[in-house]
Amino acid sequence: MQRYWKVLRLFWSTAIAAEMEYRVNFIVATITSLGNLAGSLFGLFLFYRTGYTFAGWSWNAALVVLGIFTLLQGFSSTFLAPNLNSIVRHVQEGTLDFVLLKPIRSQFWLSTHTISPWGVPDLVFGTAIIGYAGKRLGLSINNYLASAVPLLLGLVILYSLWFMLGATSIWFVKIYNVTEVLRGLLEAGRYPIAAYPTAYRFFFTFVVPVAFLTTVPAEAMLGRGQITWVIGAVVLALGLFLVSIWFWRFALRFYTSASS
């Protein structure tokens, strides 16, 4: 484990040093994040401007969901996208051979090899929205701590889904459109699950688990989380993570190396 931590520090320090050579990109990323956030706030405002509220969700409570969604966007842009999208490139160029020959687990290497600071603005803006809404709602430090575990489970779920999609590149090579479909489905997480009709709630809970990414952590933060949902999140996160490990090993059976 200590060796993996050393490798991780080396990966990330090198990646950040390389990315900071293009600092203007950070400004562009910040402006883009502000634009996306403004669009999300405007969309939410359109629902609430006439006094309408989602069942059980006030304006400030809905802001908590939006803040968590923005955090997830930042996490995806910082850790997931730069790593898992590169699986396609490794398969196309045959450089996956070199990854498989390294003395560490290939899934760990592919998932952590680089990091992008361009997702940091979303992490900052998401935290600011949650802090603002939490202050208006009178949340205490205990409320924030209560949401830590569900939020961590949501990150594991998101990673597992994204990695399994990345692994399908071994068969289909070009999967950029598939990842965009996943991004589009996850956009539903910017609003509480109560905002959708019953059929959509079922879909976004049991088919594409968007509810476990944003709504469940938000309810825990608001002090109204149910233990059954937390247990469900634990089972789902652990199950998907184990499936992602198995699926990667299964996919490698069909990988034809560049040297063969």
Side-chain angles (χ1 to χ4, degrees), residues 98-226:
F98 302 107
V99 177
L100 297 177
L101 291 173
K102 295 183 184 298
I104 58 175
R105 292 182 180 272
S106 57
Q107 183 170 350
F108 175 83
W109 194 97
L110 291 168
S111 301
T112 63
H113 181 250
T114 189
I115 187 175
S116 173
W118 316 136
V120 172
D122 278 333
L123 294 174
V124 173
F125 296 148
T127 302
I129 292 174
I130 293 173
Y132 169 79
K135 184 176 181 181
R136 297 288 299 271
L137 292 167
L139 301 183
S140 65
I141 186 64
N142 292 330
N143 292 98
Y144 296 113
L145 292 177
S147 67
V149 171
L151 183 58
L152 178 61
L153 294 172
L155 296 179
V156 174
I157 292 170
L158 182 60
Y159 160 77
S160 301
L161 291 173
W162 204 308
F163 186 83
M164 284 189 285
L165 277 178
T168 61
S169 62
I170 288 180
W171 291 284
F172 306 113
V173 184
K174 296 182 179 180
I175 61 164
Y176 296 110
N177 292 336
V178 177
T179 57
E180 288 305 313
V181 170
L182 177 62
R183 283 178 181 270
L185 290 173
L186 296 179
E187 287 289 320
R190 70 176 66 242
Y191 303 123
I193 202 67
Y196 301 98
T198 303
Y200 288 91
R201 294 180 198 176
F202 179 87
F203 179 81
F204 288 129
T205 302
F206 300 105
V207 181
V208 181
V210 173
F212 290 97
L213 301 181
T214 56
T215 300
V216 172
E219 288 184 332
M221 187 179 296
L222 296 172
R224 60 193 193 197
Q226 300 179 13

Side-chain angles (χ1 to χ4, degrees), residues 51-67:
Y52 170 82
T53 60
F54 301 133
W57 293 89
S58 65
W59 165 258
N60 291 310
L63 281 181
V64 171
V65 176
L66 180 58

